Amino acid sequence: MNLDKLMPLLAAVAGGLLTITGGVVSTSYVRSMTTRAEDRQFIRAKIEDAYRLTIEIREGVGEAMIGTAVGKGGGSGISSSLNRLEIAVRLFHPALSGRFKEIREAIRVFYNAQRDFVLDSNETKRKELFDASESVDKACDLLHSDLVVAIGRI
């Protein structure tokens, strides 16, 4: 067989193979980028949920403070928000688990101070309750700032 006759056939086969390979590679790349964008969007939504949960916790502590002051209790949604926050942090941003533990500990101290104030309503117990409430706010603020940074990195 003459090489001059074989060359166009080889060029057509090589061109076809390159076209098919390019199509497969570009389709894989587009699919990969789409999946990554969807994953980033999902994780961002979960981090935003965690941010909203910290706000709910702060509001719950504020309600509990008001309820304690008027003798009606309050802040019943704190535990639910705290549990949902824990799940969000552990699953979607485990690096912030330390910040979450600070919030959980601050809330534990708050509940203890609230109980002590209800049992013995004096100025010292009131100050301890107020300080515990401020500790929850500070712990939530720290997690807020870390969540904002995390959203910026996505």
Side-chain angles (χ1 to χ4, degrees), residues 78-134:
I78 296 172
S79 294
S80 172
S81 297
L82 189 64
N83 291 335
R84 292 185 353 244
L85 178 61
E86 180 177 19
I87 291 168
V89 168
R90 286 189 180 196
L91 289 178
F92 302 107
H93 214 313
L96 297 179
S97 292
R99 291 285 189 219
F100 171 77
K101 288 177 184 176
E102 291 173 16
I103 292 175
R104 183 175 288 285
E105 177 60 21
I107 289 174
R108 187 191 65 74
V109 169
F110 173 77
Y111 278 146
N112 289 339
Q114 184 183 34
R115 180 198 64 224
D116 292 346
F117 179 77
V118 168
L119 294 174
D120 182 17
S121 301
N122 62 44
E123 188 60 29
T124 302
K125 299 295 183 189
R126 187 193 64 74
K127 180 161 178 14
E128 289 173 3
L129 181 60
F130 180 77
D131 290 346
S133 170
E134 290 293 313

Side-chain angles (χ1 to χ4, degrees), residues 19-145:
T19 301
I20 291 170
T21 303
V24 168
V25 168
S26 67
T27 301
S28 297
Y29 177 75
V30 168
R31 185 177 300 139
S32 169
M33 295 307 289
T34 301
T35 302
R36 289 179 73 197
E38 289 170 353
D39 289 348
R40 282 194 305 263
Q41 185 178 17
F42 178 76
I43 291 172
R44 180 184 174 101
K46 293 303 176 184
I47 291 174
E48 288 173 353
D49 286 344
Y51 189 90
R52 280 189 289 278
L53 288 168
T54 58
I55 292 170
E56 286 180 21
I57 289 169
R58 291 175 86 170
E59 289 173 352
V61 168
E63 290 171 10
M65 287 289 291
I66 292 168
T68 302
V70 296
K72 292 187 178 182
S76 60
I78 296 172
S79 294
S80 172
S81 297
L82 189 64
N83 291 335
R84 292 185 353 244
L85 178 61
E86 180 177 19
I87 291 168
V89 168
R90 286 189 180 196
L91 289 178
F92 302 107
H93 214 313
L96 297 179
S97 292
R99 291 285 189 219
F100 171 77
K101 288 177 184 176
E102 291 173 16
I103 292 175
R104 183 175 288 285
E105 177 60 21
I107 289 174
R108 187 191 65 74
V109 169
F110 173 77
Y111 278 146
N112 289 339
Q114 184 183 34
R115 180 198 64 224
D116 292 346
F117 179 77
V118 168
L119 294 174
D120 182 17
S121 301
N122 62 44
E123 188 60 29
T124 302
K125 299 295 183 189
R126 187 193 64 74
K127 180 161 178 14
E128 289 173 3
L129 181 60
F130 180 77
D131 290 346
S133 170
E134 290 293 313
S135 293
V136 172
D137 280 347
K138 287 177 186 173
C140 286
D141 284 343
L142 291 172
L143 184 58
H144 272 179
S145 61

